[in-house]
Amino acid sequence: MMGMSINILADDKIEQLILGLEEKLRSDVLYLRGPMMGNLDSVFLKIIESLKTDGEKRGLNRNEIYIVLTTEGGSAEVVERLVNVLRHHYQKVNFIVPDYAYSAGTIFCMSGNKIYMDYFSVLGPIDPQVETKDGKLVAALGYLDKVEELIVKANNGTLSDAEFVILKDFDLAELKSYEQAKDLTIDLLKKWLVKYKFEDWKVHKSSGLPVSNDDKEERALKIADSLSDHHIWKSHGRPLSINELRELKLKIDDYSEDKELHAAIRELHEYCTDLLEINQIKSYIRIRRALQ
């Protein structure tokens, strides 16, 4: 796996904004921006442990955290390790998406008890990115769909010579890894939706009947199948708004309904975005400063 550099800029303004959000939400807050690849999991572990240790020094007993997340995606395996870390330390994990969280970022959000978005926020299809032998990141579903298309043409006798060369050169081991990545993302999404996102789903709104575990699993499977269907969304980076996600019967909280919270999140995200662009930083994690 490729390595990555995680930056924590010492900026008083960001400190004030994060502390303000923590006070507003009465929970820990972590700002995360960048690809979910490489050694992010080990860095994330140290930061979460530091946050919890600092909480003990401050006399806090917080069992809830909000992740302010912006990412183009990454590895489902890395996301799984991040979730394991968070769930070891926190009973409630919520996600705030001020801009976008694609692919593995969407999967990460689905592990939360709550997902907060506004009209500008978007998630994306769960199209995992896989690292090839030469270190490049590719969207797994796009490759699998292309191979399926070429196989259908071959069976129908309509495969061109150029397409035959393309099909012949596909690495079977890499294709298998793409299939495994797809299966993993669907399995994780189903598991986390049932265990965490649907935890408080007790009664059907339409009938008033109690919600069974089978109901939760059925709903999770439909959402997972929809978000992983490349034929529906067409693109790895297709933006799915709060309304489109709600049409999939996925509960999303609109944080713009709280004007003070909305302003605080917008200010933190815009300030961090400007600062990172000025310093040409692509990967960034920030929590409150630890007491000395």
Side-chain angles (χ1 to χ4, degrees):
M1 296 290 290
M2 63 176 68
M4 68 189 303
S5 174
I6 307 295
N7 294 273
I8 303 181
L9 295 178
D11 186 278
D12 291 337
K13 178 67 173 180
I14 297 178
E15 177 76 4
Q16 294 170 7
L17 293 172
I18 286 181
L19 288 175
L21 260 184
E22 289 195 336
E23 183 177 354
K24 174 72 175 174
L25 298 169
R26 296 182 180 180
S27 72
D28 288 341
V29 170
L30 180 146
Y31 184 90
L32 171 59
R33 185 185 185 109
M36 311 183 79
M37 299 294 295
N39 64 329
L40 174 62
D41 47 3
S42 59
V43 175
F44 192 83
L45 170 64
K46 294 176 182 178
I47 289 175
I48 291 296
E49 288 180 345
S50 173
L51 185 59
K52 294 297 289 185
T53 299
D54 179 68
E56 293 173 3
K57 291 180 179 179
R58 294 173 184 262
L60 302 173
N61 186 27
R62 290 174 174 166
N63 291 316
E64 186 169 17
I65 187 171
Y66 283 75
I67 311 292
V68 184
L69 178 66
T70 303
T71 180
E72 293 183 356
S75 163
E77 288 88 347
V78 171
V79 168
E80 185 174 19
R81 299 200 74 186
L82 301 189
V83 173
N84 290 341
V85 170
L86 287 169
R87 290 298 173 176
H88 178 80
H89 291 284
Y90 294 96
Q91 293 178 1
K92 298 288 185 180
V93 178
N94 307 311
F95 289 87
I96 298 172
V97 183
D99 195 344
Y100 57 86
Y102 293 126
S103 189
T106 299
I107 301 168
F108 196 22
C109 289
M110 298 299 164
S111 74
N113 297 87
K114 292 185 177 182
I115 302 172
Y116 290 83
M117 300 170 63
D118 71 359
Y119 73 94
F120 183 68
S121 312
V122 294
L123 300 183
I126 54 171
D127 187 356
Q129 290 174 287
V130 180
E131 191 173 353
T132 62
K133 293 178 181 178
D134 55 1
K136 294 181 180 179
L137 294 178
V138 298
L141 296 186
Y143 268 75
L144 293 176
D145 285 347
K146 188 62 179 178
V147 170
E148 181 182 352
E149 176 190 325
L150 294 178
I151 290 175
V152 169
K153 284 189 174 184
N155 291 334
N156 294 337
T158 59
L159 191 71
S160 69
D161 291 341
E163 289 173 329
F164 173 77
V165 173
I166 294 173
L167 183 60
K168 181 176 68 70
D169 288 343
F170 271 117
D171 187 308
L172 294 180
E174 283 193 357
L175 288 176
K176 183 63 178 178
S177 71
Y178 299 165
E179 291 175 350
Q180 291 172 336
K182 176 184 177 181
D183 293 340
L184 175 61
T185 58
I186 294 175
D187 287 345
L188 290 177
L189 191 145
K190 289 191 297 183
K191 179 177 74 173
W192 290 337
L193 282 175
V194 171
K195 189 172 184 178
Y196 303 122
K197 191 74 176 70
F198 296 163
E199 181 181 13
D200 296 328
W201 184 28
K202 306 295 184 182
V203 178
H204 288 282
K205 286 185 178 180
S206 57
S207 64
L209 295 174
V211 175
S212 67
N213 195 67
D214 287 343
D215 292 333
K216 294 180 180 182
E217 290 182 353
E218 182 180 356
R219 174 70 59 83
L221 179 59
K222 287 181 179 178
I223 293 173
D225 286 345
S226 295
L227 288 175
S228 64
D229 192 335
H230 203 249
H231 296 96
I232 297 175
W233 310 115
K234 309 299 182 184
S235 169
H236 169 83
R238 175 74 180 274
L240 305 179
S241 69
I242 186 171
N243 291 329
E244 288 172 303
L245 293 166
R246 284 173 170 174
E247 287 176 2
L248 297 178
K249 295 188 177 181
L250 184 65
K251 179 176 172 53
I252 307 291
D253 290 280
D254 187 347
Y255 65 83
S256 65
E257 294 174 357
D258 184 330
K259 292 184 179 180
E260 289 185 7
L261 178 61
H262 188 256
I265 293 170
R266 181 70 62 85
E267 187 176 9
L268 172 63
H269 178 65
E270 290 182 349
Y271 188 85
C272 287
T273 298
D274 291 343
L275 193 63
L276 300 186
E277 288 180 353
I278 291 171
N279 290 277
Q280 298 183 337
I281 293 174
K282 293 183 178 180
S283 299
Y284 181 65
I285 300 179
R286 181 62 194 266
I287 56 175
R288 64 174 184 265
R289 292 194 190 114
L291 289 178
Q292 300 301 318

